[in-house]
């Protein structure tokens, strides 16, 4: 821990300031283009108060990421489709969070366990919403936390309903072991994902953390695609495997309600 802290401090001292400044300038470039519609490198440099070459490098980096593009009048730049894509992803996550809140609250009250909504992001499951368990033995906040696809119930749902090609890609880097119960064999995991697709729900039994079990079901978007996973989790002595089928029906009903709400909003 001490070494990590020291290294982080050293890195920050050497280049952290310039990195933050570059990020701030890049964001300002986007704001300038949003305000003016389009602008040339000279105009951008003047507003930033930097040399033209610096503005050119910033615009070039943003262009490589599809965040800005040159207009028909070459030499001028405007916001590109990448901005729309990012905004759409953020909007979708906010919509899922908003539409699922009341349903998850009711599920948490009825079950007494914690309820989470997770989405797929950069090869991991990221929790975007959480209702704490009423009888929780811990107060851990999962919101914003990234968790492995193969070792979580939400991750298995998100993985199971990806295309076969994308699914293979997501697990091609190997399966990390977290506990003695983590599924680390690819063929074993693929067989389990097939069962998830057949029955419509997934489960984990102390696969991410010892003593923690979970069940998840898919949440569908307006086009019928899986956009999120709704899960319920709790201590293994309460969420034992013999109650999984019964709880899966309850979680499935809640996920179906969230899906219906999303569809009605479309």
């Amino acid at each position: 821990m001490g070494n990590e802290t020291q290294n982080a401090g050293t890195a920050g001292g050497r280049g952290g300031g310039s990195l933050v400044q570059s990020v701030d300038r890049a964001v300002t470039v986007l704001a300038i283009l949003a305000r003016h519609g389009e602008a040339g490198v000279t105009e951008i440099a003047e507003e930033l108060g930097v040399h033209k070459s610096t503005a050119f490098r910033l615009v070039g980096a943003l262009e490589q990421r599809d965040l800005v593009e040159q207009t028909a009048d070459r030499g001028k730049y405007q916001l590109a489709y990448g901005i729309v894509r990012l905004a759409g992803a953020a909007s979708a996550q906010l919509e899922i969070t908003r539409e699922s809140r009341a349903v998850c609250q009711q599920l948490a009250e009825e079950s007494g366990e914690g309820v989470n909504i997770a989405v797929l992001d950069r090869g991991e499951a990221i929790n975007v919403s959480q209702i704490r368990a009423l009888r929780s033995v811990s107060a851990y906040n999962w919101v914003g936390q990234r968790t492995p696809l193969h070792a979580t119930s939400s991750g298995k749902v998100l993985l199971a309903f990806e295309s076969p090609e994308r699914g293979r890609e997501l697990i091609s880097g190997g399966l990390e072991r977290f506990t003695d119960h983590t599924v680390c064999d690819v063929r074993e995991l693929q067989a389990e994902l097939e069962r998830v697709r057949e029955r419509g729900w997934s489960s984990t039994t102390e696969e991410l953390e010892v003593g923690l079990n979970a069940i998840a079901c898919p949440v569908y978007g307006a086009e019928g695609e899986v956009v999120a996973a709704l899960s319920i989790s709790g201590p293994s002595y309460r969420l034992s495997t013999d109650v999984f089928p019964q709880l899966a029906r309850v979680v499935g009903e809640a996920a179906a309600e969230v899906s219906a709400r999303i569809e009605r909003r479309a």
Side-chain angles (χ1 to χ4, degrees):
M1 177 67 75
N3 289 338
E4 292 174 358
T5 303
Q6 183 178 1
N7 291 341
T10 303
R14 289 176 180 171
S18 60
L19 176 60
V20 171
Q21 184 181 53
S22 296
V23 172
D24 181 66
R25 286 173 172 172
V27 172
T28 303
V29 170
L30 297 176
I32 291 169
L33 295 179
R35 186 166 63 251
H36 296 300
E38 62 179 41
V41 172
T42 301
E43 300 169 72
I44 293 171
E46 289 177 354
E47 288 210 37
L48 287 176
V50 300
H51 193 274
K52 186 176 177 179
S53 61
T54 300
F56 186 79
R57 286 196 299 271
L58 288 168
V59 171
L62 293 170
E63 187 176 19
Q64 286 185 336
R65 296 289 184 177
D66 294 325
L67 298 177
V68 306
E69 62 185 4
Q70 292 193 47
T71 64
D73 179 14
R74 296 187 65 83
K76 289 190 177 289
Y77 291 84
Q78 63 186 10
L79 297 178
Y81 180 72
I83 289 289
V84 178
R85 185 170 62 247
L86 292 175
S91 176
Q93 290 189 14
L94 289 171
E95 181 182 4
I96 292 168
T97 301
R98 182 174 58 249
E99 296 302 328
S100 66
R101 193 71 182 175
V103 178
C104 291
Q105 183 70 54
Q106 183 177 354
L107 179 59
E109 291 174 357
E110 292 177 352
S111 66
E113 307 296 353
V115 178
N116 284 274
I117 294 286
V119 298
L120 181 63
D121 183 70
R122 289 180 289 173
E124 296 176 296
I126 182 169
N127 293 281
V128 296
S129 180
Q130 174 182 4
I131 302 295
R132 303 285 184 88
L134 299 181
R135 47 181 179 174
S136 175
V137 295
S138 68
Y140 188 79
N141 183 11
W142 288 98
V143 175
Q145 298 297 316
R146 294 179 175 276
T147 55
L149 298 177
H150 69 287
T152 58
S153 61
S154 292
K156 289 179 184 179
V157 162
L158 296 170
L159 190 56
F161 290 95
E162 278 292 307
S163 68
E165 296 78 12
R166 179 58 175 154
R168 286 192 293 270
E169 180 186 340
L170 288 169
I171 60 176
S172 62
L175 306 176
E176 182 179 353
R177 181 174 296 282
F178 297 94
T179 74
D180 291 340
H181 301 280
T182 306
V183 178
C184 297
D185 181 83
V186 171
R187 284 177 296 183
E188 183 182 349
L189 177 63
Q190 289 176 332
E192 183 174 351
L193 295 178
E194 181 59 35
R195 291 193 294 272
V196 171
R197 287 187 285 270
E198 291 174 355
R199 69 190 182 188
W201 58 275
S202 70
S203 65
T204 50
T205 307
E206 302 186 89
E207 294 170 43
L208 181 64
E209 294 182 6
V210 173
L212 179 68
N213 288 356
I215 298 168
C217 292
V219 174
Y220 294 91
E223 303 299 321
E225 77 284 15
V226 172
V227 295
L230 188 157
S231 68
I232 184 172
S233 61
S236 55
Y237 63 83
R238 281 204 306 261
L239 260 64
S240 56
T241 56
D242 60 323
V243 301
F244 277 5
Q246 176 186 350
L247 285 175
R249 287 193 293 272
V250 177
V251 176
E253 290 172 358
E257 174 58 27
V258 175
S259 301
R261 291 184 178 214
I262 292 174
E263 185 175 8
R264 286 196 294 270
R265 293 278 296 185

